[in-house]
Amino acid sequence: KRDKFAVAELLEQTGATLSFSTGSHTLNIGAKCLRKDLPLVLKLLAEQLREPRFDAAEFAKLKTQLAGRLRRNLEDTDYRAQGAFARAIFPAGHPNRPPADEQYLADLERATLEQVRAFHAAHYGPASARFVAVGDVDDDAIDRALREAFAGWQGGQAFPPAPKAPALAAGRTEKVDMPGKTSVSFVIGQPSGLRYRDADHLTLNFATSVLGSGFFSARLLDIIRNREGLTYGIGASLSADTYADGSWSIQGTFAPELLGRGAASTLRELRRFHTAGLSAAELATFKVTLSGSYKVALATTGGLASTLLNALQRGYGPEWVDEYPRRLQALTLADVNAAIKRFIDPERMVTVLAGSIPPEFGK
């Protein structure tokens, strides 16, 4: 009913925001407004979800923008390393396996507006939608606004079951040579075999945070950056496991002349993590650190909304907001170290190097 300029003008008049983004599995919507303007914002949201314009000129422009964005990404060492890593550990048909970049560009070139219309008709609808509102909430007013905006809306699909990524049979290294870059992106990891909802995920995720969360007390940052001075950034994470089994990895960036020492230090700390596990002091310290950072994130309406939505998407109810810190506190050293042994195997991991790779690493 309105083009993007008319939508922008209505939002600007009320000081509201409304944005859309997509990931591998979901369409994500974010909005912020005054309580009195919620019916207007939900009406605009409903119009865009239910009756998109499918403007041919905008579609052609978007194809050009997406192709340009990918070509820029191809110059980024982190992007190239992460893509190669995901394609190495996830099998064909797995939702976490990205297409090859050349395939993406070819598919984009062939894409038609009719395909987009068909995708919208098949996949958009309330079947798997989750709605979270945080702030000056009036339940009755929100219910009325939702009924008015979305009356009669049908469709959508449940998330299909995903194939599980098999464990790697042996370790290997892949190189993406990008001459002239000032750094090398380094990734080492494996399929985790876990989804967030699995019983062992919290335990392994805690251990991984001690190894390589963004806190300066985490081992990789403390040792490889602070003490040895080999990198500005290195961390470890479990990821991409809300709707399918995900990955476990260490990600770092090294100057080409420091790559050999940086990789050796990373492998040393990975093997020590696997062999010796965490200490009792690390367990106690990170229970405080992780619980505290989690609670700080709940201090804003946006932070609380994101936490609630994540809980719902992962199959929990809103009570998870309070349950998560309690489960953290209940973790034992024996359980955490057992999870490291059970799920991590340093000898069966994929290593990816992307950037100006020194000659001693071969081609």
Side-chain angles (χ1 to χ4, degrees), residues 150-320:
F150 291 98
W153 194 35
Q154 297 179 346
Q157 295 184 357
F159 288 99
K164 201 172 182 68
L168 300 176
R172 70 179 192 273
T173 298
E174 297 195 2
K175 304 180 183 72
V176 183
D177 199 25
M178 302 171 66
K181 295 298 180 182
T182 58
S183 64
V184 178
S185 292
F186 172 96
V187 181
I188 182 169
Q190 61 182 64
S192 70
L194 292 171
R195 290 177 60 164
Y196 191 94
R197 187 69 193 272
D198 291 341
D200 291 305
H201 186 280
L202 178 64
T203 313
L204 183 62
N205 194 48
F206 183 92
T208 305
S209 297
V210 176
L211 176 67
S213 65
F215 300 104
F216 280 103
S217 54
R219 285 188 189 179
L220 295 176
L221 272 178
D222 179 47
I223 296 171
I224 298 176
R225 172 181 165 155
N226 296 348
R227 301 186 202 177
E228 299 179 355
L230 297 175
T231 181
Y232 278 113
I234 188 167
S237 62
L238 278 169
S239 60
D241 47 28
T242 294
Y243 299 105
D245 59 304
S247 63
W248 186 97
S249 64
I250 295 173
Q251 319 89 35
T253 304
F254 300 102
E257 64 272 18
L258 296 177
L259 177 60
R261 291 169 58 197
S265 289
T266 302
L267 291 173
R268 179 197 68 223
E269 292 306 316
L270 170 59
R271 292 188 175 110
R272 182 168 74 91
F273 174 71
H274 180 257
T275 301
L278 309 188
S279 68
E282 287 175 320
L283 181 80
T285 297
F286 269 80
K287 281 185 178 182
V288 175
T289 299
L290 296 178
S291 296
S293 65
Y294 174 80
K295 291 173 183 177
V296 167
L298 303 180
T300 65
T301 56
L304 180 53
S306 294
T307 301
L308 281 165
L309 182 59
N310 286 337
L312 294 175
Q313 290 175 324
R314 290 162 171 168
Y316 297 102
E319 68 280 356
W320 180 251

Side-chain angles (χ1 to χ4, degrees), residues 33-219:
C33 64
L34 297 175
R35 172 172 167 163
K36 68 180 181 61
D37 296 318
L38 183 63
L40 170 65
V41 171
L42 286 178
K43 181 180 179 182
L44 290 174
L45 169 62
E47 284 182 13
Q48 292 178 78
L49 283 177
R50 302 179 68 174
E51 303 173 285
R53 289 173 66 85
F54 294 120
D55 184 276
E58 290 291 334
F59 178 68
K61 187 187 303 180
L62 179 62
K63 288 177 65 171
T64 301
Q65 291 170 343
L66 290 174
R69 184 186 306 168
L70 176 63
R71 291 189 175 99
R72 287 195 301 274
N73 286 338
L74 292 177
E75 296 300 315
D76 184 85
T77 59
D78 286 344
Y79 174 86
R80 297 288 293 275
Q82 290 293 344
F85 174 71
R87 285 187 287 272
I89 68 168
F90 293 117
H94 195 286
N96 286 333
R97 180 187 173 97
D101 298 311
E102 318 81 57
Q103 185 64 50
Y104 178 90
L105 286 171
D107 290 344
L108 183 61
E109 179 64 28
R110 288 192 295 267
T112 67
L113 198 53
E114 289 68 32
Q115 289 175 324
V116 177
R117 289 180 185 273
F119 185 90
H120 179 270
H123 295 281
Y124 277 51
S128 296
R130 300 291 182 267
F131 179 87
V132 174
V134 173
D136 188 12
V137 172
D138 181 331
D139 283 346
D140 291 339
I142 289 180
D143 288 345
R144 284 196 303 273
L146 285 171
R147 283 196 299 269
E148 291 172 6
F150 291 98
W153 194 35
Q154 297 179 346
Q157 295 184 357
F159 288 99
K164 201 172 182 68
L168 300 176
R172 70 179 192 273
T173 298
E174 297 195 2
K175 304 180 183 72
V176 183
D177 199 25
M178 302 171 66
K181 295 298 180 182
T182 58
S183 64
V184 178
S185 292
F186 172 96
V187 181
I188 182 169
Q190 61 182 64
S192 70
L194 292 171
R195 290 177 60 164
Y196 191 94
R197 187 69 193 272
D198 291 341
D200 291 305
H201 186 280
L202 178 64
T203 313
L204 183 62
N205 194 48
F206 183 92
T208 305
S209 297
V210 176
L211 176 67
S213 65
F215 300 104
F216 280 103
S217 54
R219 285 188 189 179

